[in-house]
Amino acid sequence: KQEVTQIPAALSVPEGENLVLNCSFTDSAIYNLQWFRQDPGKGLTSLLLIQSSQREQTSGRLNASLDKSSGRSTLYIAASQPGDSATYLCAGFSSNTGKLIFGQGTTLQVKP
Amino acid sequence: DAGVTQSPTHLIKTRGQHVTLRCSPISGHKSVSWYQQVLGQGPQFIFQYYEKEERGRGNFPDRFSARQFPNYSSELNVNALLLGDSALYLCASSRTSGRLADTQYFGPGTRLTVL
């Protein structure tokens, strides 16, 4: 059974800090991994998608990496801003199951 | 282009009732998938449809059903509602082959409350 785990569950940082969100998965047949942002009570916004053949993707202040051998992905946020406050979810697509499996999310608060 | 749209935005039902949730994908997207997100947890996959055919089903009871129409919009139906069905129901669409590996674009969700 594929499981996706996100640590920490919650994180509070002062504005301007660089931070790393972690995502681990148990299924070695993961095809790709997606990072999403979710604001309270809202839907999900796709941030980055990393194919299994890639090691990282970048978009603005966001950088996501994928290490299939260790079953880990990280989302790096540079120079955090209060507007970055949200829940960040990672989701792995498994070639075994053909399903998209989500972690429980990390809720980030960036304090001014 | 408009994003994924869902209706209604909020819904209150009582136990035992039936509910229908609707989703319109981004124009040109042929795949629609449905997710249930209970408060404090990540979304759980319910169904995926591509070209009007079911492509995948999650671990949900038969009370949950869905369909996709010729214009690629979709309905999620839930019968005999239970208190535990209270959740945010999310719809996502994708452009290409219908695999969930493609970038998923999510709608704002329908908040269902079962009393």
Side-chain angles (χ1 to χ4, degrees), chain A residues 18-72:
Chain A
N18 301 324
L19 56 100
V20 174
L21 307 181
N22 297 296
C23 173
S24 61
F25 46 90
T26 58
D27 190 344
S28 61
I30 193 161
Y31 182 82
N32 66 22
L33 193 128
Q34 301 181 44
W35 282 92
F36 296 89
R37 168 184 173 140
Q38 185 174 32
D39 292 293
K42 304 296 184 182
L44 278 63
T45 300
S46 179
L47 298 174
L48 292 164
L49 183 151
I50 315 173
Q51 301 291 352
S52 60
S53 58
Q54 299 172 320
R55 293 193 64 85
E56 64 179 59
Q57 282 284 338
T58 299
S59 176
R61 294 182 295 108
L62 304 179
N63 175 279
S65 67
L66 175 63
D67 184 345
K68 281 188 61 176
S69 62
S70 65
R72 299 179 68 176

Side-chain angles (χ1 to χ4, degrees), chain A residues 31-32 34 36 38 41-46 49 51 89 93 98-100 102-105, chain B residues 35 37 40-43 45 57-59 88 90 99-104 106-108 111:
Chain A
Y31 182 82
N32 66 22
Q34 301 181 44
F36 296 89
Q38 185 174 32
K42 304 296 184 182
L44 278 63
T45 300
S46 179
L49 183 151
Q51 301 291 352
L89 294 143
F93 176 80
K99 295 178 182 177
L100 193 63
F102 281 83
Q104 293 181 310
Chain B
Y35 298 81
Q37 186 178 25
Q41 297 184 19
F45 170 71
R57 175 186 288 252
N59 295 325
L88 181 67
L90 296 163
R99 290 198 309 173
L100 292 173
D102 303 327
T103 298
Q104 301 292 306
F106 281 80
R111 172 71 63 187

Side-chain angles (χ1 to χ4, degrees), chain B residues 3 26 32 36 45 52-53 60 64-65 76-77 84 93 101-102:
Chain B
I26 292 172
V32 169
Q36 180 196 66
F45 170 71
K52 302 179 288 295
E53 292 188 359
F60 281 81
F64 288 77
S65 63
L76 176 69
N77 295 284
S93 73
D102 303 327

Side-chain angles (χ1 to χ4, degrees), chain B:
Chain B
D1 279 346
V4 177
T5 59
Q6 293 186 243
S7 63
T9 55
H10 295 85
L11 203 51
I12 299 175
K13 292 285 188 177
T14 57
R15 283 178 294 175
Q17 285 190 312
H18 163 271
V19 68
T20 298
L21 310 180
R22 296 178 175 83
C23 171
S24 292
I26 292 172
S27 178
H29 287 195
K30 299 181 178 180
S31 173
V32 169
S33 54
W34 287 94
Y35 298 81
Q36 180 196 66
Q37 186 178 25
V38 175
L39 194 63
Q41 297 184 19
Q44 297 287 318
F45 170 71
I46 309 175
F47 286 109
Q48 188 209 1
Y49 277 78
Y50 177 68
E51 290 279 18
K52 302 179 288 295
E53 292 188 359
E54 182 182 303
R55 283 294 187 90
R57 175 186 288 252
N59 295 325
F60 281 81
D62 292 343
R63 299 184 296 107
F64 288 77
S65 63
R67 57 179 175 170
Q68 187 176 32
F69 299 99
N71 65 354
Y72 304 109
S73 66
S74 177
E75 284 184 353
L76 176 69
N77 295 284
V78 187
N79 293 322
L81 285 167
L82 303 174
L83 295 179
D85 295 331
S86 295
L88 181 67
Y89 287 84
L90 296 163
C91 171
S93 73
S94 61
R95 181 187 300 274
T96 53
S97 65
R99 290 198 309 173
L100 292 173
D102 303 327
T103 298
Q104 301 292 306
Y105 296 88
F106 281 80
T110 293
R111 172 71 63 187
L112 172 65
T113 302
V114 182
L115 301 176

Side-chain angles (χ1 to χ4, degrees), chain A residues 1 62 73-75 95:
Chain A
K1 176 185 173 184
L62 304 179
S73 176
T74 60
L75 179 67
S95 299

